[in-house]
Amino acid sequence: MIDRIKEKIARFIIKKELKGRKRERRSFGDFFNKSFNYFVIMPENENDFKHSMAVLEFLKQYKKISTIFTFDFRVNMIPIRYRDHLIDHGIGDLNKLNLPSRRLVERIKENKYDVVIDLNRCENIFYSYAASLAFAPVRVGFNKTGADRYYNILISDSGSDAEISYKNFLNCLRMF
């Protein structure tokens, strides 16, 4: 009961904060070719996490700089070649509403990014809000409840198979 109340308060605060931001029209035709600095939010789900490594490999192949955002206990699961830029978080990085703490918000906002990619296929307000905190003109995420508030490119995910979902995600990125 209390968690539902906290979530409703958090959603209200986020909605109010995001309402003040100016949304500009832009062309996404070639954002992938013109962008180099990516903020990649790794999935919360264990199975999704394993299959999302294909996205990191794809970005590395195209010589994109990726800052990875993930749980602190999953850092060891990320291959060393992707750990150049990493922001990890733990339980201590949550505030009372289960949103990023002030310290974590400052770490996220330290850099400017060309693109934010949220690899969570299921709704997670913590990660969606983190995606909106990063300074980036392009935000890519899977289509889920309320996703249009946080992302300006939505990828449809109709399947339950994580491997196929991330392959389709990469196919969508290749179109740009």
Side-chain angles (χ1 to χ4, degrees), residues 20-34:
R21 290 190 185 171
K22 187 169 67 170
R23 288 190 149 197
E24 58 186 54
R25 291 182 179 242
R26 65 179 312 116
S27 171
F28 297 109
D30 58 352
F31 83 87
F32 185 75
N33 291 329
K34 291 185 176 182

Side-chain angles (χ1 to χ4, degrees), residues 16-174:
K16 187 176 177 183
E17 184 177 318
L18 294 179
K19 191 175 186 179
R21 290 190 185 171
K22 187 169 67 170
R23 288 190 149 197
E24 58 186 54
R25 291 182 179 242
R26 65 179 312 116
S27 171
F28 297 109
D30 58 352
F31 83 87
F32 185 75
N33 291 329
K34 291 185 176 182
S35 57
F36 297 100
N37 200 359
Y38 285 71
F39 184 67
V40 181
I41 300 173
M42 297 301 286
E44 178 182 34
N45 180 289
E46 186 76 31
N47 188 40
D48 287 3
F49 187 89
K50 186 174 26 173
H51 291 292
S52 68
M53 290 295 165
V55 175
L56 296 179
E57 291 172 19
F58 176 79
L59 294 174
K60 190 77 163 177
Q61 176 185 355
Y62 284 92
K63 297 179 179 22
K64 307 295 183 182
I65 299 168
S66 300
T67 300
I68 300 170
F69 184 66
T70 189
F71 276 115
D72 53 5
F73 65 86
R74 289 213 174 121
V75 170
N76 291 332
M77 296 172 68
I78 297 173
I80 293 173
R81 65 182 177 267
Y82 303 123
R83 292 189 205 167
D84 295 343
H85 306 281
L86 183 76
I87 298 175
D88 60 336
H89 64 88
I91 295 174
D93 292 315
L94 297 173
N95 65 17
K96 292 179 182 176
L97 297 175
N98 294 327
L99 293 175
S101 67
R102 184 173 307 220
R103 184 180 68 83
L104 186 56
V105 168
E106 289 172 3
R107 286 181 63 199
I108 292 171
K109 289 183 173 183
E110 281 178 359
N111 297 314
K112 287 194 172 199
Y113 304 98
D114 299 320
V115 179
V116 172
I117 298 176
D118 183 359
L119 297 174
N120 284 286
R121 297 184 312 138
C122 299
E123 182 183 13
N124 184 319
I125 194 166
F126 175 83
Y127 287 119
S128 296
Y129 184 57
S132 70
L133 291 171
F135 293 115
V138 178
R139 293 174 180 18
V140 183
F142 285 99
N143 194 9
K144 46 199 168 203
T145 306
D148 56 339
R149 287 187 194 128
Y150 307 105
Y151 314 108
N152 45 20
I153 296 179
L154 296 173
I155 307 296
S156 180
D157 178 35
S158 59
S160 60
D161 186 9
E163 184 176 11
I164 292 171
S165 293
Y166 291 111
K167 284 182 180 178
N168 289 340
F169 183 84
L170 291 176
N171 289 335
C172 289
L173 282 182
R174 284 184 183 102

